Amino acid sequence: MALNPSPQRQSVVTFPTPNVNDILFFETVDAERVGPDVPKYGSSHPDYKKWPNHRLVHIEAADDQTRYYRYYYAADQLEQDNDNWSYSEADIGGTKFDAVSRDYVIRRSEFSSTVPAMGDTMPDTPTSKFSGTHVLAQRKQIPLNDKILNGLYVVEQRVYVKKVPLYRLDYDEFFSRTNYTKQTLYRKGEAVGGSTIEALAIDPDNAYWQLGTDGILRTVQQLSDNWYAVTEQQVVNTTAIGSAAGGEFTYFTSVNYSFPPVLQTNGIQFDLWERRTGAETYSPRVLYEKGAYRGPCRARVDVQWSATQLSAISVPAPPQPQPIALSTPYFSLSVKETLHGPINIGVSNGTEDEKYVFTTGTYSFNATNLTDWPTSLIVSSTVKKFRGGWLRETVTVYPPAV
């Protein structure tokens, strides 16, 4: 089509993008009318009011006699962001990310390898077309497959990745919880943990890489010169659920345990026996509150994890039964090991014994460490290394109901 033709110029217009303001056109010029002086590449269009953004990009002969030339003009400030995008997928160090690719036509003299910088945010054009935040991850330059534009312009392909954490969930059979693993992409120079990611990546002793009290461990992988992937892994899920603390659980089982017999209060009594001669003698009798037990007992196991070292819970002394043994000319007393309170046995032969003089005495036996079976008893508490932290396991035994 022709726009405002003149005796020496005739324009043919094309539209490289859907925006009609982004015009690439050539003009057929009569060499005899315009003279021998050829304008330089990059010079503005003579009609700067009509074509304020267009520059001369190419000149070629329009006929064999070189009587006519074609002057090619292209708009230097194309609104390219509206139409130069496409959805893609970026591979950074073997990890794939959703991305948007944009191709820009740029004047060679105005091209910059540092602007925009890696990690810069993608233009929001078309407005609200793309969800989330996209940052510049890759850029490469390719020549134009067009002899007209190639002299002054180059195509740069910019790949913007969608910067969102990548999650994975795994079931932890030991704690019966679900743990997450999160991978986050960081660009060189980005602030992380009070430093830059590239500084942290070469500082293995930094607290950022240590196992936290929240059960989270971070690792880093450098994907390229400009990009790093930080993986945040829940080694142990310490998030509380209701009143139940994370990193802890309790279960019930049975263990074999033994409990000694228990003597009644006033469990040693003496029965009176009278002889035909009129003499009196006493015979001891033992009364038990509980008999001895050995076998399966209900037990509770408490398991607790911590990133810092735990101390074992103090294990109290188990029941320690003691025997009672006493021998006199009048009786003998032998009680096997048992739990009992303090025992005092008084002995007197009176004043009428034909064989022994009058004698009195008291035999005392101290109480055992426990005088009855405890309602519960911690029988073991162990601490060991586990998943970079510490695991404490405490076993509490309950006596059988009698």
Side-chain angles (χ1 to χ4, degrees):
M1 58 181 293
L3 297 180
N4 299 325
S6 65
Q8 72 273 14
R9 292 179 181 266
Q10 184 178 28
S11 300
V12 176
V13 179
T14 61
F15 305 98
T17 75
N19 187 345
V20 294
N21 293 319
D22 302 337
I23 298 174
L24 169 68
F25 65 87
F26 68 84
E27 293 182 335
T28 303
V29 179
D30 187 337
E32 293 183 357
R33 293 181 180 272
V34 299
D37 294 331
V38 176
K40 294 180 179 180
Y41 281 14
S43 58
S44 299
H45 191 276
D47 191 351
Y48 63 89
K49 290 184 178 180
K50 183 177 182 180
W51 310 107
N53 298 321
H54 284 70
R55 299 174 187 265
L56 181 65
V57 296
H58 184 71
I59 299 175
E60 67 178 11
D63 60 356
D64 294 338
Q65 292 78 30
T66 64
R67 179 180 175 182
Y68 295 96
Y69 291 97
R70 286 180 178 173
Y71 288 7
Y72 289 83
Y73 292 90
D76 234 13
Q77 299 176 355
L78 297 178
E79 293 295 332
Q80 301 181 63
D81 288 319
N82 279 308
D83 314 295
N84 68 345
W85 58 270
S86 63
Y87 289 109
S88 63
E89 189 177 72
D91 188 320
I92 303 177
T95 303
K96 296 186 181 299
F97 299 88
D98 291 337
V100 173
S101 295
R102 289 183 178 270
D103 294 337
Y104 290 90
V105 180
I106 305 171
R107 289 198 71 205
R108 292 181 179 274
S109 61
E110 297 175 359
F111 172 78
S112 171
S113 60
T114 58
V115 179
M118 300 298 281
D120 280 1
T121 304
M122 183 182 74
D124 185 24
T125 307
T127 303
S128 302
K129 179 69 176 180
F130 309 100
S131 62
T133 301
H134 291 72
V135 296
L136 183 60
Q138 298 172 345
R139 57 189 301 180
K140 64 178 180 179
Q141 294 74 46
I142 55 178
L144 279 166
N145 294 322
D146 189 318
K147 65 178 181 179
I148 298 172
L149 298 176
N150 193 49
L152 287 181
Y153 293 87
V154 65
V155 173
E156 179 173 68
Q157 185 178 77
R158 300 172 187 170
V159 179
Y160 293 86
V161 298
K162 190 172 185 179
K163 197 172 183 294
V164 294
L166 303 179
Y167 280 88
R168 189 184 77 188
L169 300 180
D170 297 287
Y171 185 69
D172 184 348
E173 294 184 356
F174 186 83
F175 287 98
S176 299
R177 295 289 298 275
T178 298
N179 299 350
Y180 76 80
T181 300
K182 179 176 72 172
Q183 186 181 74
T184 306
L185 189 66
Y186 292 99
R187 59 176 172 80
K188 187 175 182 179
E190 192 167 354
V192 182
S195 182
T196 60
I197 184 59
E198 65 270 23
L200 280 178
I202 57 174
D203 184 8
D205 296 325
N206 192 286
Y208 190 75
W209 307 121
Q210 308 306 310
L211 180 63
T213 56
D214 55 2
I216 292 176
L217 180 67
R218 298 179 182 88
T219 58
V220 64
Q221 180 184 2
Q222 185 170 359
L223 304 177
S224 67
D225 181 55
N226 290 298
W227 292 98
Y228 298 79
V230 174
T231 301
E232 182 178 289
Q233 180 184 6
Q234 261 187 330
V235 176
V236 174
N237 189 339
T238 60
T239 306
I241 300 179
S243 60
E248 301 179 10
F249 64 89
T250 297
Y251 67 94
F252 288 88
T253 184
S254 63
V255 297
N256 288 324
Y257 201 76
S258 61
F259 290 91
V262 179
L263 207 61
Q264 287 184 7
T265 303
N266 301 320
I268 298 178
Q269 300 182 4
F270 289 88
D271 297 328
L272 173 63
W273 294 80
E274 294 185 6
R275 297 179 184 273
R276 291 183 184 276
T277 60
E280 295 179 349
T281 183
Y282 290 88
S283 177
R285 180 161 51 95
V286 179
L287 302 176
Y288 290 94
E289 184 72 30
K290 297 182 179 74
Y293 176 82
R294 180 186 298 274
C297 296
R298 185 170 181 260
R300 186 184 73 194
V301 181
D302 295 295
V303 180
Q304 180 183 4
W305 180 91
S306 175
T308 56
Q309 186 168 0
L310 296 165
S311 298
I313 294 176
S314 177
V315 177
Q320 297 176 358
Q322 296 293 329
I324 300 173
L326 176 61
S327 179
T328 71
Y330 300 99
F331 67 88
S332 292
L333 175 64
S334 179
V335 182
K336 293 182 178 181
E337 293 181 341
T338 183
L339 299 179
H340 55 78
I343 296 176
N344 296 297
I345 301 174
V347 177
S348 174
N349 63 350
T351 58
E352 299 179 358
D353 191 286
E354 298 177 351
K355 187 174 181 180
Y356 297 101
V357 298
F358 176 67
T359 304
T360 62
T362 300
Y363 297 90
S364 298
F365 299 89
N366 294 329
T368 53
N369 68 327
L370 297 175
T371 59
D372 199 352
W373 292 352
T375 56
S376 64
L377 182 65
I378 296 175
V379 297
S380 69
S381 182
T382 59
V383 177
K384 63 182 179 181
K385 289 285 289 181
F386 186 79
R387 295 187 186 174
W390 299 86
L391 192 73
R392 180 171 65 198
E393 184 177 284
T394 303
V395 180
T396 303
V397 170
Y398 299 88
V402 293

